[in-house]
């Protein structure tokens, strides 16, 4: 049996290495590849992805799982080996239910849809994208049906990103959250608005880079096992625990982009850097879910990076970098400016208090589309109606509304809720951390992040993908994912800032 | 049959894509990878290389060749399809003769030997490397014997880099060349030496970069299908015809390194960029051999880049970049300085007149080691004796002598002669080009390289790896590889420079 386990591990390691090669090729594509490489790179990625899929879903891997499952039941349930078999067997069962014919059709449909979306967004012409979206919804329904019976047609999609999570759970969580967030931003909208004009002037790009490096170095991002590059869409990518890279986008007239973007990506990256090296050659060298991953990025970006404590340490340094922009600004004015709440059209630029509402409306629309209670043709109107209801504004056109995100064009249904779940998880962890490290605020005021990072390593990072997200959150905080800590946080923070 | 051919092409395309992925991973390793990535990257490369090998040498690929060979004989012999089948079938027959047990032993032996060589060179202690070298020689003899019967035990090794070329051919060529090159540098050594001190002062790195970019842009290197990065050991790499990258090393106190290195790599890269797109998804999207590849790099580096014509155009620009260094230097003084001939210890820094002698002594030693007429233990003495004989100097230690090159530690026997063959081929082509483009010198004086590049594209580049090197040279110049044009070139150029 141990020999079979080793054989399985070798097979999984090969698949992992191919997938990490895909990540390198994709990183290069988004950072340095010359335009002439586009077509070849598409072929590289398609070939390697196909190989990884074939290697993982082969019959002899299935036989190894069949043989090993009784053995796994005798192991200590939380042991690396038991979890490796459980997690990868689950993935195997899921992936082998998907016929290769469907995979090919889906790849084809999303490639075409992506191009149509680019054009539709450019012209703000939803009708141009609509037939492609209809095709993707049809394919995604077929996908869900491969996993019938299910509680909800959306479950198999959500499960790809939040293993084990059910649609009804997310609906309950968001149902409790939404009215409280809507009420909060309505209250804020009655108060005098903050002036953040000094953030929207020219900030030298190299100095933005240098300040960001200083911050995430202090956070504990390990540069010997990573690096930073520029890319149009920031991301974090891992080629192994020893090489976890971040990218950043710089906007000279909007310093938020690089400043908080770098903190955000470093949060993702420190998660990957903190995985137990014993898991390094297995598919467990990954985050527990997209939601848990996002809890790490949002914690370092928002709970740390937008806190008064953080800036009481870093603002003097920031002033040294940018004396012309903030030399005469005091800490309190700066703190309020970076925490300005204002309903806006674009999700990726949304503030802490409004962000989740962007997600919730997307989730509701995705579920309705999958259920068939909403047709693709009705989507722009449904988007705009909900947007007005939740955020109090209506997009002037579809490019700034329903067409703004890439996800649906790539077939990514089930992905959006993970962003909001990440926010919620970050606060559940944060409350526990502050119990365990009572002087954390003082530490942050001194620019010390070692205890915080150590706590995250011990409780979250080292486990990699061993546990499903609800299980992990329960183990660490004593309860499943719930919105109350986040609501408490928003109310407390913004009541003080806006004098509610 | 056409369906089988298409199946073969798909299989070969998949192998090509995996090999190109290896190239991307290797490029990243040598340019941007953080040190923490070393171990994982080794695994990525090993896994993908193994996959590519397994995919290419599988039995069903062999059956496709068996089925397709009669079909290929009916095709026009120079057609892409006929050559694709012939070239790849030949590679298949060669690779499938190598047992995977040997491949594993060889990979293990070279990994250990490489590390031992690094240490041995650091300490200038050949004895530390000797047992590893003995093991590699033993494995390389075993490798040769897989292809018995052969004319010469060195043939199967040489054939890996110069397909179809025989050891006796190379020995004849080098035998005719060596005494003439030795006589030339002895004659030069009797003449007053050139002063090139102004080349050995500080040159700003960014300006070196900018001037190099200006030159190779003018040459015709296509930046939309390539890019330049820094690396400790310069190289060219192709991820497809649309993405052919160069790297450059910069030495602020030795401008030759980046100046001629950039031209050299651009020569390699323009070859790959010039391959017929119809070959793009096949293994024929490659150079004909290392020797033919080197003929391109050496042509742009030396025949163009070290010519009086080139500098009559570019020297005024060079002075604008570096007024402090060459503001008071005249063209003739500069031209003589960059063409200074001086026997030196290190191959990669050798001038045009001495370079081939470095190669010839290596080839003779490699052959003797393979034949068994020389033992590894005798290598340092044999190196030093020959070095004195050919170049008139004796290395002060083994680090600057027999241990200077990486090749043997990586098992690369048969590789060195391709460097000198490249020089010889470059002159055979150059004589033909100057017949076909009589005003080429005038064009170069005007900084015009379009006709030259066009000729190379038409006669060399577009064919990719369709033809074996001897065949290609014969087709283009009317004779097989021979040293006379190179000897004529050296005599003429250096007689004038040194007043012989």
């Amino acid at each position: 049996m141990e020999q079979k386990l080793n054989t399985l591990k070798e097979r999984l390691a090969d698949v992992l290495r191919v997938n990490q090669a895909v990540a390198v090729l994709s990183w290069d594509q988004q950072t340095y590849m010359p335009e002439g490489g586009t077509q070849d790179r598409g072929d590289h990625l398609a070939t390697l992805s196909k190989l990884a899929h074939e290697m993982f879903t082969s019959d002899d891997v299935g036989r190894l799982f069949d043989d090993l499952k009784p053995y796994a039941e005798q192991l200590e349930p939380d042991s690396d080996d038991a979890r490796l078999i459980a997690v990868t067997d689950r993935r195997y069962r899921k992936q082998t239910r998907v016929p290769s014919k469907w995979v090919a059709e889906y790849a084809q449909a999303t490639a075409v849809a992506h191009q149509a979306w680019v054009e539709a967004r450019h012209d703000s012409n939803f009708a141009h994208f609509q037939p492609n979206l209809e095709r993707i919804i049809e394919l995604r329904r077929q996908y869900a049906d491969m996993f019938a019976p299910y509680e909800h047609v959306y479950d198999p999609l959500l499960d790809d990103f939040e293993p084990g999570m059910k649609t009804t759970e997310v609906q309950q969580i968001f149902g409790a959250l939404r009215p409280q967030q809507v009420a909060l931003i309505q209250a804020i909208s009655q108060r005098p608005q903050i002036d953040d004009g000094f953030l929207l002037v020219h900030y030298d790009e190299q100095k933005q880079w240098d300040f960001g490096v200083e911050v995430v170095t202090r956070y504990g991002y390990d540069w010997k096992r990573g690096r930073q590059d520029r890319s149009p869409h920031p991301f974090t990518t891992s080629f192994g625990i020893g090489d976890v890279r971040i990218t950043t986008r710089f906007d000279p007239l909007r310093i938020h982009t690089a400043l908080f973007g770098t903190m955000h990506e470093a949060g993702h990256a420190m998660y990957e850097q903190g995985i137990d090296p014993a898991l390094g050659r297995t598919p467990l060298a990954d985050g527990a879910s997209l939601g848990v991953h996002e809890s790490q990025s949002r914690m370092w970006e928002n709970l740390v990076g937008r806190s008064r404590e953080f800036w009481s340490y870093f603002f003097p340094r920031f002033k040294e970098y940018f004396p012309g922009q903030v030399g005469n600004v005091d800490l309190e004015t700066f703190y309020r400016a970076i925490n300005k709440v204002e309903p806006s059209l674009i999700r990726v630029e949304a503030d802490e208090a409004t962000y989740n509402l962007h997600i919730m409306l997307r989730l509701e629309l995705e579920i309705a589309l999958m259920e068939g209670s909403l047709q693709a043709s009705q989507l722009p109107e449904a988007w705009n109606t909900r947007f007005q209801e939740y955020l109090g504004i209506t997009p002037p056109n579809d490019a700034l509304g329903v067409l703004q995100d890439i996800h649906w064009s790539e077939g990514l249904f089930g992905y959006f809720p993970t962003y909001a779940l990440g926010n919620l998880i970050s606060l559940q962890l944060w409350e526990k951390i502050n119990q365990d490290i009572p002087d954390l605020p003082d530490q942050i005021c001194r620019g010390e992040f070692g205890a915080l990072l150590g706590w995250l390593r011990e409780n979250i990072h080292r486990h990699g993908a061993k546990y499903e997200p609800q299980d992990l959150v329960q183990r660490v905080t004593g309860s499943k994912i719930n919105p109350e800590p986040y609501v408490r946080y928003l109310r407390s923070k913004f009541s003080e800032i806006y004098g509610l």
Side-chain angles (χ1 to χ4, degrees), chain A residues 485-498:
Chain A
Y486 195 66
V487 171
R488 276 197 289 274
Y489 164 75
L490 288 183
R491 281 217 188 101
S492 157
K493 178 170 183 174
F494 292 102
S495 292
E496 194 238 23
I497 289 174
Y498 277 93

Side-chain angles (χ1 to χ4, degrees), chain A residues 193-342:
Chain A
Q193 189 48 292
I194 290 166
D195 176 11
D196 63 349
F198 59 87
L199 293 178
L200 302 168
V201 299
H202 187 272
Y203 283 75
D204 177 72
E205 183 172 321
Q206 185 58 47
K207 286 185 183 169
Q208 291 193 40
W209 176 288
D210 293 342
F211 183 74
V213 165
E214 192 171 322
V215 168
V216 302
T217 303
R218 195 95 195 167
Y219 274 179
Y221 175 66
D222 181 354
W223 294 96
K224 288 188 181 164
R225 297 187 292 138
R227 52 177 288 121
Q228 180 181 225
D229 299 273
R230 289 171 173 76
S231 75
H233 300 282
F235 62 96
T236 298
T237 183
S238 168
F239 314 144
I241 295 170
D243 190 356
V244 184
R245 306 186 189 180
I246 62 173
T247 73
T248 300
R249 184 168 79 86
F250 292 85
D251 181 342
L253 294 174
R254 194 179 149 80
I255 190 169
H256 315 63
T257 304
L259 179 58
F260 296 106
T262 306
M263 298 180 198
H264 181 98
E265 300 307 331
H268 281 304
M270 290 188 289
Y271 187 1
E272 300 271 349
Q273 288 184 333
I275 294 169
D276 184 348
L279 305 177
R281 284 162 177 255
T282 78
L284 300 184
D286 197 357
S289 72
L290 291 192
V292 176
H293 232 305
E294 194 75 2
S295 77
Q296 301 304 294
S297 56
R298 299 293 274 181
M299 184 182 290
W300 291 99
E301 174 194 357
N302 289 333
L303 309 191
V304 178
R306 280 188 164 92
S307 72
R308 187 180 275 118
E309 291 81 5
F310 175 92
W311 287 105
S312 76
Y313 178 80
F314 270 110
F315 193 54
R317 278 299 281 158
F318 191 76
K319 282 189 170 195
E320 291 173 28
Y321 278 92
F322 303 108
Q325 293 86 343
V326 293
N328 298 319
V329 175
D330 64 30
L331 173 62
E332 202 54 31
T333 304
F334 184 79
Y335 171 69
R336 287 164 50 86
I338 60 168
N339 284 295
K340 180 181 177 181
V341 172
E342 185 170 51

Side-chain angles (χ1 to χ4, degrees), chain A residues 51-174:
Chain A
L51 273 175
H53 181 75
E54 287 172 1
M55 290 159 68
F56 181 54
T57 58
S58 74
D59 291 343
D60 52 326
V61 171
R63 278 189 294 273
L64 286 168
F65 281 124
D66 290 340
D67 293 347
L68 283 166
K69 269 197 290 194
Y71 169 76
E73 280 161 22
Q74 298 158 25
L75 297 172
E76 200 275 298
D78 287 349
S79 67
D80 289 352
D81 285 346
R83 292 308 302 157
L84 177 67
I85 295 169
V87 169
T88 52
D89 176 55
R90 188 177 191 280
R91 289 187 196 169
Y92 179 85
R93 301 296 153 202
K94 199 160 181 185
Q95 288 194 27
T96 49
R97 283 223 208 162
V98 184
S100 50
K101 182 166 173 293
W102 183 91
V103 174
E105 285 174 8
Y106 178 71
Q108 172 68 15
T110 51
V112 175
H114 178 76
Q115 187 55 37
W117 169 75
V118 169
E119 294 159 5
R121 189 171 73 152
H122 180 270
D123 304 334
S124 194
N125 175 10
F126 179 80
H128 183 59
F129 179 53
Q130 185 186 315
N132 297 278
L133 182 59
E134 284 165 353
R135 174 73 178 135
I136 284 175
I137 293 165
E138 183 191 334
L139 283 164
R140 273 303 182 195
R141 280 218 204 94
Q142 290 174 9
Y143 179 83
D145 285 341
M146 295 167 201
F147 305 96
Y150 38 68
E151 266 177 53
H152 191 285
V153 63
Y154 192 76
D155 282 353
L157 306 177
L158 178 64
D159 183 88
D160 282 351
F161 307 105
E162 293 296 316
M165 193 112 188
K166 298 290 179 212
T167 306
T168 51
E169 291 179 289
V170 179
Q171 285 174 317
Q172 272 178 354
I173 293 165
F174 286 7

Side-chain angles (χ1 to χ4, degrees), chain A residues 3-4 27 41 43 106 117 183 229 253 276 313 355 360 441 443 460 468 497:
Chain A
Q3 202 186 334
K4 286 196 176 172
W27 170 86
R41 187 54 51 88
D43 283 354
Y106 178 71
W117 169 75
D229 299 273
L253 294 174
D276 184 348
Y313 178 80
Y355 188 92
M360 286 185 254
Q443 293 184 20
I460 304 289
E468 293 185 352
I497 289 174

Side-chain angles (χ1 to χ4, degrees), chain A residues 422-440:
Chain A
N423 285 328
L424 307 188
I425 296 168
S426 76
L427 254 298
Q428 291 180 267
L429 297 176
W430 193 245
E431 290 193 347
K432 181 73 168 74
I433 292 165
N434 278 275
Q435 286 167 20
D436 291 354
I437 313 174
D439 69 331
L440 181 60

Side-chain angles (χ1 to χ4, degrees), chain A residues 454-482:
Chain A
W455 191 98
L456 292 170
R457 290 249 148 105
E458 175 62 24
N459 290 281
I460 304 289
H461 299 178
R462 71 185 173 93
H463 300 307
K466 277 178 76 172
Y467 306 115
E468 293 185 352
Q470 286 281 36
D471 183 22
L472 180 65
V473 173
Q474 170 96 45
R475 280 167 188 256
V476 177
T477 70
S479 65
K480 292 193 169 188
I481 301 172
N482 87 71

